[in-house]
Amino acid sequence: MTTSDSQGAARKGSDKHKMKSASRLYAVQALFQMEHSNLTFDKVIVEFEDHRFGAVYDGDEMAEGDSKSFRKLIEGAVNDQAKIDQMTDRALVAKWPIARIDPTLRALFRAAGAEFLSGKTPPKVVINEFVDIARAFFPEGKEPKFVNAVLDHMAREAAPEAF
């Protein structure tokens, strides 16, 4: 393998990672949208894949998402919502059940919970990725630290063998 071949392989791996990271962000946005609209997950998935992945807004191009990862997160979050919400509730302070949590954070916990339950990505990677998403939504707040603590608790429940 030549140097240019290895650089090309590294770029492809990096592009795949960027697409998967973008899919996580899009999943949080889609779950938020589903909670605040009458759209089914099928309609939200089509809207995101057709109009959001790689879209250009005010001259800024959005990242391309990985459809397979995006769909798995949305479907997992919807199909396992009760289980994920119970995991989240156990990670929260008793006075703050998931129904009282900011809707963006609720969507984030559901997407992350779906990924924990799938068991395909190391929990620490999932935590880091979703804490980064929390930073994107709440750049000045304490929410990223809160997200880190809640996701750590959820991950230890979903995959104790990983710790």
Side-chain angles (χ1 to χ4, degrees):
M1 180 181 272
T2 67
T3 304
S4 62
D5 289 339
S6 65
Q7 289 172 343
R11 257 187 266 114
K12 287 178 187 171
S14 177
D15 289 346
K16 186 175 181 181
H17 173 75
K18 287 179 186 176
M19 288 176 71
K20 194 161 186 179
S21 293
S23 297
R24 290 179 176 106
L25 173 65
Y26 290 136
V28 171
Q29 292 173 328
L31 290 167
F32 177 91
Q33 183 174 335
M34 285 173 57
E35 185 174 330
H36 295 282
S37 71
N38 293 326
L39 295 177
T40 63
F41 75 83
D42 289 329
K43 288 183 180 182
V44 169
I45 286 172
V46 169
E47 177 188 325
F48 272 76
E49 289 176 343
D50 290 351
H51 302 291
R52 305 262 181 113
F53 286 21
V56 178
Y57 298 104
D58 298 326
D60 292 327
E61 185 174 350
M62 301 299 290
E64 193 63 47
D66 175 51
S67 290
K68 186 176 177 184
S69 297
F70 173 73
R71 286 173 177 261
K72 282 185 178 183
L73 285 175
I74 298 297
E75 290 171 6
V78 170
N79 292 336
D80 294 323
Q81 182 175 324
K83 185 175 186 175
I84 293 166
D85 285 356
Q86 289 169 1
M87 279 185 0
T88 306
D89 274 338
R90 287 189 289 273
L92 296 169
V93 177
K95 293 181 182 179
W96 289 98
I98 193 164
R100 289 186 65 188
I101 297 297
D102 176 273
T104 302
L105 292 177
R106 197 166 37 247
L108 186 148
F109 293 144
R110 288 174 177 156
E115 193 158 1
F116 288 141
L117 291 178
S118 79
K120 293 182 179 161
T121 305
K124 291 180 182 181
V125 172
V126 176
I127 292 169
N128 288 334
E129 289 282 324
F130 282 97
V131 167
D132 285 346
I133 292 169
R135 282 190 194 106
F137 284 114
F138 306 99
E140 303 297 323
K142 295 179 182 177
E143 289 86 353
K145 288 181 182 180
F146 173 68
V147 166
N148 187 56
V150 171
L151 292 182
D152 182 69
H153 189 281
M154 291 173 67
R156 289 174 189 275
E157 180 179 332
E161 70 284 352
F163 292 91

